[in-house]
């Protein structure tokens, strides 16, 4: 089973390490200490925590079959006569949406607006990152 250090868990969740530590201290997330005294979060525990958080209804959420909702800030809007491109930064993720200029105007989207990217797709590509070199090694 995979174990994650507090900083790694924080990166995966898109929060600070201090936030994860507060969740651990409050008993919301289990993080026993490893043989070196570092707190670690088990992969299964982290997945259960994320599932439980995702199951909680989002405040002001519309009823929808789409489950991938990423709240963020609009960082760019490029409009031409008919179409527009809207860039949203949702945590560490950049979402780019192409839509009609009329939709952008109707929604009042502009740089600095808060927006929710709702993603419904029939194709999802899943990748695994390349393995990290063992900790403590500095060279070959």
């Amino acid at each position: 089973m995979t174990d994650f250090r507090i900083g790694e868990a924080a990166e995966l969740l898109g929060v600070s390490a201090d936030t994860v530590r507060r969740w651990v201290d409050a008993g919301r997330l289990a993080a026993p200490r490893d043989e070196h005294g570092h707190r670690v979060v088990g992969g299964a525990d982290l997945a259960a925590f994320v599932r439980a958080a995702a199951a909680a209804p989002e405040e002001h959420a519309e009823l929808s079959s789409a489950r991938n909702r990423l709240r963020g800030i609009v960082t760019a809007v490029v409009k031409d006569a008919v179409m527009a491109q809207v860039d949203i930064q949702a945590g560490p993720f950049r979402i780019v949406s192409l839509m009609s200029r009329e939709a952008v105007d109707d929604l009042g989207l502009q740089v600095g607006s808060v927006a929710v990217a709702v993603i419904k797709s029939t194709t999802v590509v899943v990748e695994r990152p390349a393995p990290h070199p063992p900790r403590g090694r500095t060279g070959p």
Side-chain angles (χ1 to χ4, degrees):
M1 177 181 352
T2 302
D3 286 335
F4 298 98
R5 285 186 160 182
I6 295 293
E8 293 170 323
E11 183 179 344
L12 289 169
L13 297 173
V15 298
S16 72
D18 285 339
T19 296
V20 174
R21 283 188 198 92
R22 283 193 294 275
W23 290 337
V24 169
D25 292 342
R28 294 180 58 197
L29 182 61
R33 296 197 182 268
D34 66 8
E35 64 275 5
H36 303 289
H38 299 117
R39 287 180 169 176
V40 293
V41 179
D45 291 333
L46 188 59
F49 179 81
V50 171
R51 277 194 308 274
E58 186 176 315
E59 191 175 329
H60 306 297
E62 299 294 324
L63 294 177
S64 173
S65 65
R67 296 294 181 247
N68 302 304
R69 304 175 63 83
L70 302 172
R71 187 171 190 262
I73 187 167
V74 175
T75 58
V77 177
V78 179
K79 299 190 271 187
D80 69 14
V82 178
M83 296 299 294
Q85 175 181 316
V86 177
D87 292 18
I88 300 171
Q89 192 69 37
F93 306 106
R94 177 176 173 242
I95 311 297
V96 179
S97 178
L98 302 176
M99 63 184 78
S100 70
R101 178 190 179 111
E102 180 180 10
V104 169
D105 293 341
D106 288 350
L107 291 170
L109 295 176
Q110 57 187 349
V111 172
S113 299
V114 173
V116 178
V118 180
I119 303 163
K120 179 93 175 177
S121 177
T122 57
T123 302
V124 176
V125 176
V126 177
E127 298 178 340
R128 291 194 58 176
H132 294 292
R135 289 192 180 103
R137 287 192 64 188
T138 57

